[in-house]
Amino acid sequence: MTRAIALIDVNNFYASCERVFDPKLEGKPVVVLSNNDGCVIARNKESRELGVKMGAPWHELKGLARQHGIIARSSNFALYADMSDRVMTIISQFAPTQEVYSIDESFLDLTGMPGQHTAIAQRMRSRILQWTGLPVCVGIGPTKTLAKLANHVAKKRPEYAGVCDLNQLSSSELGALLASIEVGEVWGIGPRLAPRLNHIGIHSVQDLRCQTPEYIRQQFSVVVEKTVRELNGQACIELELIAPNKQQIVVSRSFGQKVTDLDSICQSLSLYASRAAEKLRKQKSHAATITVFMRTNPFNDDPRYSAHKTVALPAPTDDTLQLVRVAMWAARQIYKPGYRYHKSGVMLGEIMPAGGQQTDLFGFQDGGSKSAKLMAALDQVNRKMGKHTLRVASQGYRRPWAMRQNNLSAGYTTNWPEIIICS
DNA sequence: TCTGGGGTCCTAGGACCC
DNA sequence: TCTGGGGTCCTAGGACCC
């Protein structure tokens, strides 16, 4: 039996979330900005039509924005994550085998599900729209790569009414459709590979699909070879039903204003190390290394400086206090006065499951059970009372370096005082 | 003045070993 | 004349994704 993998993707996810809670945005051009309100990370249809590009710096768009009344929102990731959970839960009701691929995309295995797949997909669309207010498109194909491509078609071509099932097409119809799509649209073919493919005469998806896997492997890599096989219906990328644990955890931000003093950098790193430790505990892991970095702005004419330091921890840990202490020690090693710093960050590496690993030779219990209890209490309080209720003092209180979010929407679903109550 | 943040996989090349 | 060869591990960098 032909496999039927569906890819469900929310249209303009961040911008759509903003619109759900603020109907005034309906029909107006809307963009969502990155941290520090730096650049555009999401646009709705109206702003796309005005020529706003993904990743465009916001300050360069001020004129266009004034002229056309573009509405900008700071990114509100707590809101988007909550809306994502709701969408994913609804999708999971339609088939037992689901992979949550990203914050706004999910694969679902429809193979063998009774009924017409396009009809199932349409029911899914209307239920998600009715229950969350978010529009989605659905692509269906025998492999993940083809499902992604089908989703692209469903989004771009109105005649498909939001659902494209490649399994319903005859071989010649499929060939004609794929011949009309540029090769760069394929999942896994990015801005570097596309020109190289064009250079050897491969322009459309169909052109790539007709190559032999061996030739493509020899010219490129196994990754592109797998893409060719997937385009031919041979599954090389399996559904991942359980999200694997992260092998690396990064927390980094640009500062809201230029920072020159070590104290501010240490405060920021204390906060980031705390966040990283939380993420680590959430997946029940310990890290054996921590890397700290700081750098100046590479885009302006400021004197440049960029440094990082990796420290091997005496024993793998998930303890906030210990990670913060090491991060701040490392920061003091690499900090140089006289620079205007732009960004700092913390990375945790050599991540392994908690429990079972060796403790350091001299640490014996290394305060292990005491630390575990303290961290559990910390997480519990913050879960119940709000994110930053309990935190280490070295994060500072005033935080002039913190990111700018001048157009932040409310925590409509995640913050009690801001929750909307229908009467 | 103003240009995000967080991930994965693969490959090539060097070090080192026998 | 002729100066081994193969395996493993690690790291940096490149490519991609959202």
Side-chain angles (χ1 to χ4, degrees):
Chain A
M1 187 191 326
T2 313
R3 288 233 288 169
I5 307 295
L7 177 72
I8 303 97
D9 182 317
V10 183
N11 305 350
N12 317 315
F13 181 53
Y14 299 165
S16 297
C17 286
E18 295 290 340
R19 198 216 52 231
V20 166
F21 293 98
D22 187 354
K24 284 200 305 291
L25 303 184
E26 190 78 49
K28 303 213 177 101
V30 176
V31 298
V32 176
L33 304 177
S34 64
N35 286 336
N36 279 320
D37 296 342
C39 59
V40 174
I41 57 169
R43 313 99 91 207
N44 68 353
K45 185 166 138 278
E46 289 78 6
S47 58
R48 217 195 314 260
E49 281 166 2
L50 288 174
V52 177
K53 294 276 181 293
M54 200 68 163
W58 176 234
H59 67 93
E60 287 177 10
L61 294 171
K62 287 280 170 68
L64 191 73
R66 244 191 317 272
Q67 199 184 334
H68 294 101
I70 300 177
I71 299 168
R73 287 291 160 89
S74 307
S75 37
N76 185 343
F77 286 110
L79 176 68
Y80 310 149
D82 183 75
M83 293 299 281
S84 173
D85 285 346
R86 292 160 196 251
V87 171
M88 296 308 167
T89 303
I90 297 168
I91 292 170
S92 73
Q93 295 164 351
F94 283 83
T97 310
Q98 179 188 24
E99 173 186 341
V100 176
Y101 175 68
S102 76
I103 193 163
D104 72 330
E105 285 171 78
S106 174
F107 288 103
L108 192 67
D109 193 349
L110 295 179
T111 312
M113 296 300 288
Q116 279 289 319
H117 293 156
T118 46
I120 296 174
Q122 287 296 359
R123 276 204 302 281
M124 193 151 46
R125 291 184 75 220
S126 54
R127 192 178 297 176
I128 293 169
L129 185 64
Q130 194 179 353
W131 291 8
T132 69
L134 295 171
V136 305
C137 285
V138 183
I140 301 168
T143 62
K144 286 168 96 173
T145 302
L146 284 167
K148 280 280 247 183
L149 207 57
N151 187 281
H152 169 83
V153 174
K155 245 191 244 164
K156 297 284 170 189
R157 309 196 185 192
E159 63 269 30
Y160 284 87
V163 176
C164 170
D165 183 354
L166 297 181
N167 288 336
Q168 299 302 309
L169 302 183
S170 70
S171 141
S172 63
E173 285 169 332
L174 181 61
L177 178 63
L178 298 186
S180 72
I181 305 171
E182 284 181 25
V183 72
E185 299 294 342
V186 175
W187 191 36
I189 305 300
R192 291 280 156 68
L193 284 168
R196 286 178 58 200
L197 286 162
N198 292 340
H199 190 70
I200 56 170
I202 299 168
H203 298 277
S204 70
V205 182
Q206 180 67 0
D207 291 340
L208 181 60
R209 190 166 81 121
C210 295
Q211 305 298 315
T212 66
E214 294 75 20
Y215 171 69
I216 290 299
R217 174 170 200 151
Q218 175 234 322
Q219 291 290 313
F220 299 92
S221 68
V222 272
V223 185
V224 190
E225 179 197 353
K226 281 184 188 169
T227 300
V228 172
R229 293 183 187 278
E230 284 250 322
L231 286 174
N232 283 285
Q234 182 188 346
C236 299
I237 310 170
E238 283 308 316
L239 247 48
E240 277 179 1
L241 308 185
I242 310 156
N245 281 342
K246 305 253 180 286
Q247 301 172 39
Q248 181 180 297
I249 289 173
V250 180
V251 180
S252 73
R253 301 272 184 284
S254 313
F255 299 123
Q257 56 189 62
K258 286 296 168 281
V259 162
T260 53
D261 62 301
L262 179 60
D263 278 354
S264 295
I265 293 176
C266 280
Q267 285 181 12
S268 71
L269 291 172
S270 170
L271 173 63
Y272 305 157
S274 303
R275 275 292 299 138
E278 271 171 37
K279 291 187 187 181
L280 196 57
R281 291 196 294 274
K282 197 170 173 204
Q283 68 168 40
K284 296 184 172 37
S285 297
H286 284 183
T289 67
I290 178 167
T291 301
V292 157
F293 69 87
M294 58 185 76
R295 71 161 92 106
T296 54
N297 191 345
F299 296 106
N300 65 17
D301 297 330
D302 283 355
R304 305 254 178 106
Y305 178 63
S306 171
H308 60 92
K309 185 166 185 70
T310 301
V311 181
L313 297 159
T317 185
D318 66 355
D319 185 298
T320 297
L321 302 177
Q322 204 179 333
L323 290 167
V324 165
R325 214 176 298 132
V326 176
M328 292 174 63
W329 176 84
R332 284 192 289 273
Q333 307 302 305
I334 55 175
Y335 170 78
K336 278 197 197 164
Y339 290 100
R340 304 176 71 220
Y341 290 92
H342 167 76
K343 184 176 187 177
S344 68
V346 164
M347 294 185 261
L348 302 180
E350 291 186 40
I351 290 174
M352 59 195 79
Q357 68 266 68
Q358 293 189 327
T359 54
D360 57 325
L361 192 53
F362 305 106
F364 300 117
Q365 308 296 314
D366 96 295
S369 70
K370 208 170 118 199
S371 154
K373 279 184 197 153
L374 180 60
M375 289 305 118
L378 182 81
D379 290 337
Q380 214 177 341
V381 168
N382 286 339
R383 228 181 352 258
K384 205 163 165 186
M385 312 292 291
K387 254 185 164 179
H388 304 291
T389 307
L390 274 184
R391 55 182 196 252
V392 293
S394 53
Q395 287 176 18
Y397 198 72
R398 276 191 37 260
R399 302 195 203 170
W401 45 267
M403 63 185 178
R404 291 184 304 274
Q405 294 185 301
N406 293 332
N407 306 288
L408 188 61
S409 52
Y412 298 109
T413 62
T414 53
N415 189 8
W416 279 111
E418 295 173 334
I419 285 176
I420 295 174
I421 295 160
C422 301
S423 50

